[in-house]
Amino acid sequence: MRGLLIGLALVLLALQWPLWLGEGSWRDVRDLREQVERQQAANAELEQRNQALEAEVRDLRSGTAAVEERARRDLGMIREDEIFFFVVGDDEPGTLDVEPLPGSAGQTDPGPDSRVPEDAEPATDTLPPEDPFDG
């Protein structure tokens, strides 16, 4: 009798083994459900992004307001009747892109009038202070 009970317990254990620890077990099912939830969240984010892009495409196709806004924002374009003000803030340093003149600096001839007089003061990078009462 005792051998029969041990045999039945072993058979029961052999049948339960795949359910708990084998392929397709409870643990695998739980992991797959978590993966599905993560993928659904990623899909929802991508769906929102796609809807925003579709709305932008509709705006660009339907009228000139969206095209004008993109040109202003991305290309810095202004209308002919507008005045452009460039405001430099503390958080963003202003830069000025300057293109060099055609030809290299070594090719230019300074000419005879380019000599600096011997009694001239050296150049400085600062401007003299302005008189606030000068009109």
Side-chain angles (χ1 to χ4, degrees):
M1 184 75 157
R2 186 173 195 160
L4 182 64
L5 286 177
I6 292 175
L8 287 175
L10 289 175
V11 169
L12 182 64
L13 182 63
L15 290 174
Q16 291 289 317
W17 183 264
L19 178 66
W20 296 101
L21 301 173
E23 186 177 334
S25 65
W26 291 103
R27 189 179 323 167
D28 289 343
V29 171
R30 185 188 65 217
D31 292 342
L32 288 174
R33 284 184 180 156
E34 289 174 1
Q35 287 179 1
V36 167
E37 288 175 5
R38 284 193 304 264
Q39 189 63 47
Q40 286 175 342
N43 289 350
E45 290 177 18
L46 292 174
E47 183 66 30
Q48 289 177 352
R49 185 177 135 231
N50 286 346
Q51 289 175 356
L53 289 173
E54 287 175 7
E56 186 174 349
V57 167
R58 278 194 307 269
D59 287 345
L60 289 171
R61 286 185 180 166
S62 66
T64 60
V67 174
E68 182 179 339
E69 186 233 336
R70 295 269 307 211
R72 287 174 180 272
R73 183 185 67 216
D74 297 342
L75 303 175
M77 298 181 81
I78 59 172
R79 288 190 205 148
E80 290 181 12
D81 60 340
E82 293 179 332
I83 299 173
F84 177 71
F85 292 96
F86 184 74
V87 179
V88 179
D90 293 337
D91 57 340
E92 209 175 285
T95 59
L96 179 64
D97 295 331
V98 179
E99 295 182 18
L101 294 173
S104 66
Q107 295 175 345
T108 59
D109 185 349
D113 296 333
S114 65
R115 290 190 206 145
V116 178
E118 293 178 10
D119 60 339
E121 294 182 18
T124 61
D125 289 341
T126 60
L127 295 174
E130 295 183 17
D131 185 9
F133 299 108
D134 191 19

